[in-house]
Amino acid sequence: MMSASTDGWAAGATPGTDAEYASTSRLDDLRAAEYRHLDAGGRTYLDYTGSGVAAEAQIRAHARRLTGRCYGNPHSENPTSRASTELVERTRAAVLGFFNASPDEYAVVFTPNATGACRLVGEAYPFGRGSRLVLTGDNHNSVNGIREFARARGAQVVNLPVRGTELRVPGGDVRDALARRRGLLVYPAQSNFTGVQHPLEWIDLAHAHGYDVLLDAAAFVPANRLDLGRVRPDFVPVSWYKMFGYPTGVGALVARRAALARLRRPWFAGGTIQAVSALGGWHVLAGDETAFEDGTLNFLSIPDVEFGVRWIEDIGIDLIHRRVARLTSWLLHRLTGLRHGAGSPMIRVYGPDGTDRRGGTVAFNVLDRHGRIVDERIVARDTAAGGISVRTGCFCNPGAGEGAFGISERALRDRRTLRGGMRTLDEYLDLLHLPSGGAVRASLGLVSNVADVERLAAFLEEAYGDREPDARGLKPRERC
C-alpha cells in the first residue's frame, strides 16, 4: 500500500527534481517504445481504473501465436485441442506464480471478467438462515449484486457504510459485524471510487470469526503486490484488462481449493461435469476448477494472460507501484492547489488527500467560483472535447457516492423518495437534493507520466477558473 512518505512537496519541487520519481524513468522509456499510441493525436489517458493500456508487444505476441499454428477447442485429445489445453494450463500456473499462490492451496477459474467471478461465488455460496453477508459500503456493483443471492436464501445482509472525510470503513465496524453469526465478508482491496485501500488484515480477522472472505482485487492488483502466500482470502476476482489492457473478455476467480469445495453450483454446463445422464437426471461435477468453467473457454485469448503477467513481472510490480504512488501524490497536490482568482478552491477531492493507504484512483468535483459543484456532465463533455480521458458518474459504486455526497440512509430508504413520481435518474437526484449526479475520476497506471497530470491540471484551470460553466445542451443522465 502507498506510504505517507510519498506526500509532501516543498515549495518549487516537482517530479522532475524528485529522486523517487526519477528512479522510475524506465517506465518513460517503455512508454516511448511500446505505448506510442498513448501519445498519438495529442490525447491524454487518465482512466486506468477503467482499463489498463495494451503494449504493442502484447499484440505482436498474440498475432505470432495465432499465425504460428492451429489451436482448437479444448476438452479433447486431438493435437489442436491439446495445444490449447497446454497453453491454458500454463496460464493457470503463471497466474498462481504471479500472486505467489501455492497450487496445492489455490486454483484459478477463468471467467469472462471479475463480475463473472463474483457471480460464480454469489450463486454457489451456501447462504442460508442464520448466516451473514457482510459488505463494506464502497463495493462495486458487481460485488453488491451478491446480496440478491444471499437475501433469496434467507441470509442476513449487513452493509458497513464509509465514514469520515477519507470515506473509509472503520475497523471497529468490521470487528463488530464479524462478531455475530458466520458467513461471507466481501470488500475491495482498493475502492474504485476513492482509491481507499482497506486493511488486508481483515482477512485473518474474518477467518478467526468463522467467515470466508471475497477480496475484490480488480482495482488493487494493477499497481500493488498481492501476495497470497502472506494473506489468504478465499476468493479473489480479477479482470486482466484492468492490469495490462489486453485481452478483454477474460477474468479469473483465484480461489482456495477448500473454499471452492464448499460452493454448491445451481446448475452444470458443458465442460463442468465428470459424468451426466439425460434419462437418469443426475450429474457429477468435475473434481477440480473446471467444474466452474462453463462451456468452452476463451482459449485463443487466455494465453495472452500468461504473456501479460510475464510482462508485468519483467517490468516489476514494485516499480509500477512506486511510479503510481509518486504520481498520485503529485496529482493530489496539483488538484488541491488549483484556485479561483479570489482564492477559493476549484477542486473538491473525495477520499484521502494524501497517499497513506490509498491507490492511484482520485475522485473529485470541480467547483465554480461560488463554491458550487460543476455538473459532472459538463466536465465529461469538455474533457472529451479536449482529448482527455477521465471518467465521470458514480463508477458503479453507489455506497462510496452516497458517502461522498452525504446522503443519509433515511433519505435513501424513504418510500416517498422512491415513489414520488420519479421517472428518470435526474428526477431522483432532484428528490435527494443532490447538486450533481456523480464525480470526476482520474486514475493512474503503468505508464502514466507527469505530462498526463499536468495536462489535466492545466485544462481544468483554463476551462473553469473564474468562468461560468456552460450547461447548455447536456443530455439527460441515463444510468449510474
Side-chain angles (χ1 to χ4, degrees):
M1 295 187 180
M2 294 185 184
S3 166
S5 65
T6 60
D7 290 337
W9 294 90
T14 69
T17 61
D18 182 70
E20 190 169 1
Y21 184 81
S23 71
T24 67
S25 61
R26 181 188 168 202
L27 295 175
D28 295 319
D29 298 334
L30 188 67
R31 176 165 172 157
E34 291 288 348
Y35 298 86
R36 293 172 294 180
H37 47 296
L38 271 178
D39 297 310
R43 297 182 178 88
T44 298
Y45 188 78
L46 288 167
D47 192 24
Y48 284 86
T49 301
S51 174
V53 178
E56 293 176 22
Q58 293 172 257
I59 310 305
R60 292 193 300 268
H62 177 84
R64 281 197 305 269
R65 177 165 46 82
L66 294 191
T67 56
R69 69 165 299 169
C70 181
Y71 295 94
N73 190 332
H75 307 147
S76 181
E77 290 299 312
N78 69 64
T80 53
S81 177
R82 292 183 66 178
S84 295
T85 299
E86 178 183 347
L87 292 184
V88 169
E89 296 309 314
R90 266 179 36 188
T91 304
R92 288 193 213 274
V95 170
L96 291 175
F98 182 79
F99 293 121
N100 191 31
S102 166
D104 295 328
E105 183 176 7
Y106 279 92
V108 176
V109 177
F110 287 113
T111 63
N113 43 39
T115 300
C118 292
R119 178 169 182 167
L120 273 181
V121 176
E123 69 182 8
Y125 192 80
F127 292 116
R129 296 189 181 278
S131 67
R132 263 187 161 195
L133 171 65
V134 178
L135 299 159
T136 58
D138 57 350
N139 277 307
H140 190 280
N141 273 338
S142 295
V143 174
N144 287 328
I146 295 174
R147 73 188 187 193
E148 301 307 307
F149 294 112
R151 284 173 173 168
R153 296 174 201 146
Q156 182 183 18
V157 177
V158 178
N159 190 283
L160 306 177
V162 296
R163 302 184 189 277
T165 57
E166 293 199 345
L167 301 178
R168 297 187 186 276
V169 177
D173 290 359
V174 176
R175 286 189 292 273
D176 290 346
L178 297 176
R180 302 178 183 180
R181 303 187 182 183
R182 300 293 183 268
L184 180 66
L185 169 67
V186 183
Y187 74 99
Q190 178 176 313
S191 168
N192 77 306
F193 190 114
T194 61
V196 161
Q197 293 180 337
H198 294 300
L200 297 181
E201 290 78 10
W202 288 352
I203 298 168
D204 285 343
L205 176 67
H207 286 162
H209 285 83
Y211 276 76
D212 294 315
V213 179
L214 185 150
L215 181 74
D216 177 9
F220 182 80
V221 293
N224 298 274
R225 182 178 297 278
L226 180 62
D227 185 346
L228 295 182
R230 186 178 65 85
V231 295
R232 291 179 167 83
D234 300 278
F235 308 104
V236 183
V238 292
S239 279
W240 303 112
Y241 74 92
K242 290 183 183 285
M243 284 189 67
F244 36 76
Y246 182 83
T248 57
V250 180
L253 175 66
V254 182
R256 295 177 73 182
R257 293 185 183 276
L260 279 179
R262 292 194 290 273
L263 300 184
R264 296 292 178 263
R265 299 212 66 191
W267 83 313
F268 65 91
T272 66
I273 50 95
Q274 182 179 10
V276 61
S277 171
L279 292 177
W282 55 265
H283 71 278
V284 178
L285 287 171
D288 58 13
E289 56 268 38
T290 63
F292 296 87
E293 294 174 338
D294 297 331
T296 301
L297 290 173
N298 190 344
F299 61 91
L300 294 182
S301 292
I302 285 174
D304 295 315
V305 174
E306 181 189 10
F307 187 94
V309 297
R310 302 294 187 208
W311 182 252
I312 298 299
E313 286 175 335
D314 288 345
I315 296 168
I317 190 65
D318 295 329
L319 177 66
I320 298 168
H321 174 85
R322 193 159 67 248
R323 164 63 68 99
V324 171
R326 203 57 179 147
L327 268 185
T328 302
S329 178
W330 183 246
L331 174 60
L332 289 165
H333 175 76
R334 292 289 282 121
L335 290 178
T336 56
L338 293 177
R339 293 287 188 273
H340 291 285
S344 63
M346 285 183 57
I347 301 295
R348 178 181 296 164
V349 171
Y350 300 110
D353 60 4
T355 54
D356 179 32
R357 295 173 297 149
R358 73 115 73 231
T361 301
V362 178
F364 62 94
N365 275 121
V366 177
L367 306 178
D368 68 16
R369 57 185 174 150
H370 305 292
R372 298 174 301 209
I373 289 178
V374 176
D375 192 307
E376 87 285 353
R377 293 172 297 176
I378 296 175
V379 182
R381 179 197 64 199
D382 295 348
T383 51
I388 299 174
S389 291
V390 292
R391 192 164 290 263
T392 59
C394 70
F395 321 123
C396 296
N397 194 323
E402 290 159 4
F405 290 107
I407 311 171
S408 70
E409 182 176 353
R410 180 178 179 181
L412 291 165
R413 292 183 179 275
D414 191 337
R415 294 184 181 274
R416 290 172 298 179
T417 300
L418 298 177
R419 295 179 179 177
M422 180 187 70
R423 295 182 298 275
T424 67
L425 178 58
D426 288 327
E427 289 181 3
Y428 178 60
L429 298 177
D430 288 341
L431 287 168
L432 290 173
H433 307 293
L434 293 181
S436 181
V440 182
R441 188 181 75 188
S443 50
L444 304 163
L446 171 59
V447 285
S448 296
N449 62 18
V450 175
D452 297 331
V453 173
E454 287 302 308
R455 184 168 182 217
L456 174 64
F459 179 89
L460 294 173
E461 187 169 33
E462 172 65 23
Y464 306 111
D466 290 318
R467 294 176 181 268
E468 288 297 322
D470 182 4
R472 293 175 298 178
L474 294 180
K475 297 180 179 179
R477 298 177 180 91
E478 295 180 353
R479 63 176 66 189
C480 182

